[in-house]
Amino acid sequence: MSQQIYLQPIGLCDSPQSEEGDAVRLAGGLAYAHRFAAIVRQGGQVTQRLRFSPAEAADTFAALPADLGAEAEEQWSNLRMAHPPLQMGGRTIRLDQPQVAGILNVTPDSFSDGGKFLDRPEDGAAHAAQMLEAGAAMVDIGGESTRPGAPAVWEGDELERVRPAVEYCAQMGAAISVDTRRAAVMEAALDSGAHMINDVSALRHDPRSMELVAARGCPVVLMHAPGEGEDLHADGDYAAVAFDVFDWLRERRDAALAAGVARANIVLDPGIGFGKSLAENLILINALPLFHALRQPIMLGVSRKRMIGALSNEVAAQQRQGGSVALAVKGMDAGVQIVRVHDVFETVQARNVWRGLRDAALTDFSALPGD
């Protein structure tokens, strides 16, 4: 069995000067790390774990098995690589600080919105406008519920739901992402003014989707879900969830690159809540900095999800704002570039305060000795 290596940031800090320069900027954002673990797995089992700081990186990689050294060097470079902005029509989405994607569900059975934006398009348009005014960098439109047990949707119905929403968001000049796994919906949405595809199946569900995304040259989100076919939540069996999801996303990234999708257009999502237990979701969220080693921007979708209810006496989805914001800030601390949320105003406010704290840390040298 071949060995795999993972470079996992395990010690985050507020600024490089807090570690006297022995820290790295994760993925060109505002998160910094000063301690790392080089973890070797074989056959699903961890066989070696070496802790190191940036100053010790070269010596650590030299101590690894020879066939892992090149991969370790590549991941080390990936962790420190700044990502170019996403181009979404006339809008440029910078990835050097966290961006907020506002969710617009146009389904009759959304676990959070209850179909109100499908039944009354004027309400959907008003909600989209409100999210943009509150600071959303983009609107993510979904016409199919992917919660556990949700019924399958015929693509014709999904099209009828999604297209009007794309059109009224396009009239506002919004950057638009469409959450779909069907090539016909992707194509119609892009033709109607959408800019990015967010596929919960990572372009596996529809055999035409990979070719379509490559040909259209649009950004795409590849999300981890263990299931095949209609049930994306099935087959969630992990030896170690963070490393297994890492391997899976690396495979889908490589498949997209091989199909002609530009690297700058690929965003990865660890798929919180899809085929994962509460414990596994929490492990993944704690391990988020690891995914920068894949050299792609990260989207995090945790808003109002069941795990928040499970940790909060099973409160209803509409009462999970506090937990949603807490998890979004956790993602920001980890250097996640895009957080996908229902509660845009609250999340943008949290992001702005978080940004203020980061800026203050970066300009504070008062704890260092003077000349």
Side-chain angles (χ1 to χ4, degrees):
M1 295 182 185
S2 63
Q3 293 181 310
Q4 300 287 341
I5 188 164
Y6 311 85
L7 296 191
Q8 182 172 10
I10 56 174
L12 303 179
C13 56
D14 291 329
S15 67
Q17 63 265 30
S18 66
E19 294 295 328
E20 299 184 1
D22 193 19
V24 300
R25 184 182 184 186
L26 292 177
L30 294 171
Y32 295 83
H34 67 100
R35 295 293 291 170
F36 300 81
I39 299 164
V40 178
R41 280 211 307 171
Q42 187 167 12
Q45 298 296 317
V46 173
T47 59
Q48 190 175 13
R49 185 176 188 271
L50 303 173
R51 289 179 296 137
F52 64 96
S53 73
E56 299 161 340
D59 290 341
T60 300
F61 301 158
L64 291 167
D67 59 335
L68 297 179
E71 174 65 18
E73 292 282 0
E74 181 177 345
Q75 289 190 28
W76 184 239
S77 176
N78 292 347
L79 284 169
R80 297 172 293 157
M81 184 191 135
H83 298 291
L86 288 176
Q87 291 301 138
M88 298 181 66
R91 292 187 174 271
T92 299
I93 310 300
R94 293 174 49 179
L95 300 177
D96 56 353
Q97 68 169 340
Q99 301 288 356
V100 176
I103 298 169
L104 177 61
N105 286 321
V106 284
T107 62
D109 54 351
S110 165
F111 81 95
S112 178
D113 304 314
K116 62 182 179 181
F117 301 134
L118 173 64
D119 298 335
R120 294 177 56 84
E122 62 272 26
D123 288 350
H127 183 63
Q130 184 180 48
M131 292 193 294
L132 293 168
E133 184 178 353
M138 66 184 79
V139 177
D140 187 60
I141 300 168
E144 176 192 25
S145 175
T146 51
R147 75 186 193 281
V153 175
W154 178 54
E155 68 177 28
D157 290 338
E158 187 181 355
L159 263 172
E160 288 184 6
R161 299 169 183 176
V162 167
R163 187 157 28 204
V166 171
E167 290 172 350
Y168 59 64
C169 287
Q171 289 174 359
M172 300 174 196
I176 303 166
S177 168
V178 172
D179 184 351
T180 183
R181 49 184 172 155
R182 296 178 175 84
V185 180
M186 296 177 189
E187 190 167 27
L190 292 169
D191 288 342
S192 299
H195 308 104
M196 182 165 78
I197 299 301
N198 180 9
D199 186 350
V200 293
S201 78
L203 302 177
R204 295 177 301 145
H205 181 79
D206 190 318
R208 292 201 306 119
S209 59
M210 184 77 78
E211 180 183 0
L212 171 67
V213 167
R216 298 298 289 261
C218 62
V220 62
V221 182
L222 306 177
M223 194 200 79
H224 174 270
E228 301 277 353
E230 293 299 334
D231 188 1
L232 295 170
H233 299 269
D235 305 319
D237 185 19
Y238 310 99
V241 66
F243 303 136
D244 291 350
V245 171
F246 183 99
D247 291 343
W248 192 99
L249 287 174
R250 174 167 50 193
E251 180 181 332
R252 295 311 300 161
R253 176 204 66 187
D254 291 348
L257 290 172
V261 180
R263 183 179 281 276
N265 281 339
I266 299 173
V267 179
L268 302 178
D269 182 338
I272 302 300
F274 281 76
K276 302 167 184 78
S277 68
L278 172 60
E280 289 162 346
N281 285 320
L282 294 171
I283 289 169
L284 265 180
I285 291 168
N286 281 330
L288 283 171
L290 166 71
F291 295 96
H292 294 301
L294 289 170
R295 197 182 158 188
Q296 305 302 143
I298 302 166
M299 175 180 275
L300 178 66
V302 289
S303 181
R304 299 190 185 180
K305 288 197 171 177
R306 189 184 178 281
M307 63 173 292
I308 300 170
L311 294 169
S312 309
N313 298 316
E314 299 297 347
V315 296
Q318 292 78 8
Q319 296 176 294
R320 298 173 186 170
Q321 292 94 332
S324 299
V325 171
L327 291 175
V329 172
K330 177 72 172 177
M332 296 175 202
D333 287 341
V336 164
Q337 287 84 3
I338 306 170
V339 289
R340 179 179 176 273
V341 306
H342 297 86
D343 303 295
V344 171
F345 179 88
E346 293 83 355
T347 308
V348 169
Q349 185 180 82
R351 191 273 312 276
N352 292 346
V353 172
W354 178 91
R355 174 67 194 262
L357 291 167
R358 290 284 158 164
D359 289 345
L362 286 171
T363 56
D364 181 12
F365 294 86
S366 61
L368 298 179
D371 294 334

